Amino acid sequence: MNGDGSLERLRREGRIVVVGASLAGLRAAETLREEGFAGSLTMIGDEPYEPYDRPPLSKQVLLGAADAERTALPRRRALDATWRLGVAATGLDMAARRVRLADGDEVPYDRLLIATGVRARPWPHEAEAALDGVFVLRTRDDGVALARRLAQGPRRVLVIGAGFTGSEIASACRERGLPVTVAERGAAPLVGALGGVVGAVAAELQREHGVDLRCGVMVTALEGDASGRVRAAHLSDGSTVETDVVVVSLGATRNTEWLAGSGLGAGPRGIACDAGCRAFDIRGIVTDDVYVAGDVARSPHPLFGYQFLSLEHWGNAVSQATTAAHNMLSASPERVPHMWMPAFWSSQFGVNVKSVGVPPLGTEIVVTQGSLADRRFVGVYGYQGRVIGAVAFDQARWLPFYQELIETTAPFPPSFATVDRRADAGRPLDADFPDPSVPTHGPTVTLSGYSPADRRMTFTPAH
């Protein structure tokens, strides 16, 4: 379906399948209908629920301020779609254009959008992960179960991992008045996403709010009692934490295993796609009928040296899904690139944290507004002499300005004067990101190189 006539047939009577009943999947489906797609639309999701909003799960839901069952995403329009919920996709036959499902069914397509997102990385020891009181937080069911347990007033909560989600969970626990210990193998909270300079500020913030923060340690084992309930955690420094609720927040795993053997360029880092959201196959050749959007995608961004970026950002999922849907229905000259500026926000310990750009790409940071000591500041990240990202603690009004600097590849450090810029703010510091070979928990941007296919794989022609 490449010619104008074929595209018209696709719009009128084609079959489009969306795998992933997610934020990205929903917004893509709505865009397809808005742009005149009148054919059959099938939405496949492994959870039994229609698309819902995930950010409230680690914020309002854990505080008891919102009900997880009421987090359904608002609809922009009616979809007239066939929903296949509670059944996972288990395989893809690109030659036959069919998606295989866990119930044995197969769904044919003319265009396929993969928006399967990520799942919470589980505790690696299965028997310990199965203890009563051990949780992860990603799905609606996870949010319901954890909120219910927190409402019962546990004697101590242990959060393993101090990325954004782990930090937000710890914040909610303290706001509920619950004792909480956070164990982070990195040097500070948020260090993988924002670096050590900002991580030190986040560490002070947690400790001032009563968090028992343990950095540079790993949890080596979870211990249960005779009834199978978690009772303690053992740490690599030899200490033991008595706890009856453990929240494992070790980051995310991209949902790509179902694509093994399909021929797509999919792996643990996501599904490689071009700037127009078309998926690559394992040979690095772009497909024209398989598209990808949201957390599971990794795509090149021209502002960041065409690095392949995997973005776990709400706004990116919406923007990329809209672009993918448009390009599915468009001839080549009418397709548009996905150019969304990475942006992220978090609310924790009474502070609003927002970032733009790609801070983990930065090697230096300079404080341009406010001060680290006051915990109201803007930190600007530099890479090879240009502005590459910015983070604000309770200073979000400045971020549109810094976004423009990123978009115009402005020089670093910024050379301007501002009303509230401190006299000592002009000296760049080492941003102090950890060695990427020593992973930390919870970066929301993953830099995954320049190649659309994993170089470790081998390709053997069929003949």
Side-chain angles (χ1 to χ4, degrees):
M1 289 195 179
N2 293 321
D4 290 345
S6 295
L7 277 173
E8 194 51 46
R9 280 201 307 278
L10 173 69
R11 286 173 170 269
R12 188 175 62 249
E13 57 192 45
R15 302 163 301 180
I16 293 183
V17 173
V18 177
V19 181
S22 56
L23 170 66
L26 176 62
R27 295 298 179 244
E30 290 171 335
T31 302
L32 289 168
R33 292 303 192 202
E34 287 164 1
E35 297 209 2
F37 176 65
S40 72
L41 182 58
T42 303
M43 307 289 292
I44 298 169
D46 60 350
E47 292 186 65
Y49 314 113
E50 293 193 7
Y52 59 88
D53 207 14
R54 296 186 190 275
L57 297 179
S58 60
K59 301 177 178 73
Q60 296 95 324
V61 170
L62 294 192
L63 290 172
D67 191 333
E69 284 90 349
R70 296 177 178 268
T71 55
L73 287 162
R75 299 288 182 86
R76 297 198 308 234
R77 56 167 298 138
L79 288 183
D80 185 24
T82 300
W83 292 85
R84 302 291 301 270
L85 299 176
V87 56
T90 56
L92 171 63
D93 185 337
M94 290 203 297
R97 290 182 171 178
R98 302 178 79 85
V99 175
R100 292 190 293 273
L101 302 183
D103 62 4
D105 201 2
E106 293 189 352
V107 183
Y109 65 85
D110 298 305
R111 293 281 191 274
L112 170 66
L113 176 68
I114 301 173
T116 46
V118 301
R119 65 185 183 276
R121 192 181 301 278
W123 185 244
H125 307 290
E126 287 188 26
E128 296 175 7
L131 291 170
D132 182 23
V134 178
F135 298 87
V136 295
L137 181 58
R138 175 67 187 175
T139 68
R140 200 176 96 174
D141 288 345
D142 295 337
V144 169
L146 182 55
R148 184 179 298 128
R149 187 61 63 90
L150 294 183
Q152 294 172 2
R155 69 179 188 273
R156 177 165 294 274
V157 178
L158 171 66
V159 180
I160 306 176
F164 280 108
T165 300
S167 296
E168 289 172 1
I169 293 167
S171 176
C173 289
R174 291 305 300 139
E175 198 163 334
R176 278 183 171 268
L178 299 173
V180 59
T181 296
V182 174
E184 165 58 49
R185 63 186 167 191
L190 312 183
V191 68
L194 299 175
V197 172
V198 176
V201 177
E204 292 175 3
L205 194 62
Q206 291 203 16
R207 290 184 171 119
E208 284 189 7
H209 282 81
V211 174
D212 172 27
L213 176 63
R214 317 273 189 98
C215 294
V217 298
M218 296 178 64
V219 175
T220 56
L222 300 177
E223 180 185 337
D225 61 19
S227 64
R229 295 197 61 165
V230 68
R231 62 168 298 274
H234 300 281
L235 276 55
S236 58
D237 62 1
S239 62
T240 299
V241 176
E242 302 287 335
T243 178
D244 48 355
V245 172
V246 174
V247 188
V248 180
S249 187
L250 298 178
T253 299
R254 286 166 176 80
N255 293 317
T256 59
E257 292 86 352
W258 68 283
L259 295 167
S262 69
L264 273 190
R269 297 179 297 177
I271 305 168
C273 63
D274 71 1
C277 306
R278 297 180 299 174
F280 285 102
D281 71 12
I282 60 172
R283 302 165 298 173
I285 297 174
V286 72
T287 62
D288 207 40
D289 52 5
V290 181
Y291 290 71
V292 60
D295 294 0
V296 76
R298 60 186 188 105
S299 59
H301 202 301
L303 275 178
F304 305 103
Y306 290 94
Q307 277 267 14
F308 275 72
L309 303 182
S310 301
L311 302 172
E312 295 174 36
H313 294 170
W314 198 95
N316 179 73
V318 173
S319 175
Q320 196 167 32
T322 302
T323 299
H326 169 82
N327 290 344
M328 274 182 166
L329 302 177
S330 300
S332 182
E334 298 165 351
R335 291 176 180 155
V336 295
H338 173 57
M339 295 274 288
W340 187 75
M341 171 63 68
F344 181 81
W345 72 275
S346 175
S347 179
Q348 50 188 268
F349 303 103
V351 172
N352 188 15
V353 181
K354 291 191 175 183
S355 73
V356 293
V358 185
L361 194 56
T363 55
E364 297 178 284
I365 185 172
V366 61
V367 176
T368 53
Q369 274 80 33
S371 73
L372 299 174
D374 294 338
R375 288 192 284 284
R376 284 178 54 88
F377 65 90
V378 176
V380 178
Y381 295 84
Y383 175 68
Q384 295 184 348
R386 57 163 287 204
V387 175
I388 204 76
V391 63
F393 275 45
D394 280 346
Q395 293 274 19
R397 62 195 173 98
W398 286 102
L399 288 188
F401 172 76
Y402 289 105
Q403 178 172 331
E404 185 175 342
L405 293 188
I406 297 166
E407 291 170 343
T408 56
T409 64
F412 178 90
S415 58
F416 53 84
T418 61
V419 173
D420 67 341
R421 189 170 181 183
R422 297 167 61 97
D424 61 350
R427 185 172 61 86
L429 305 169
D430 183 338
D432 194 22
F433 281 96
D435 183 336
S437 67
V438 183
T440 55
H441 305 133
T444 60
V445 180
T446 303
L447 307 173
S448 51
Y450 303 92
S451 173
D454 191 336
R455 291 186 180 185
R456 289 172 296 180
M457 67 172 59
T458 57
F459 174 71
T460 304
H463 56 78

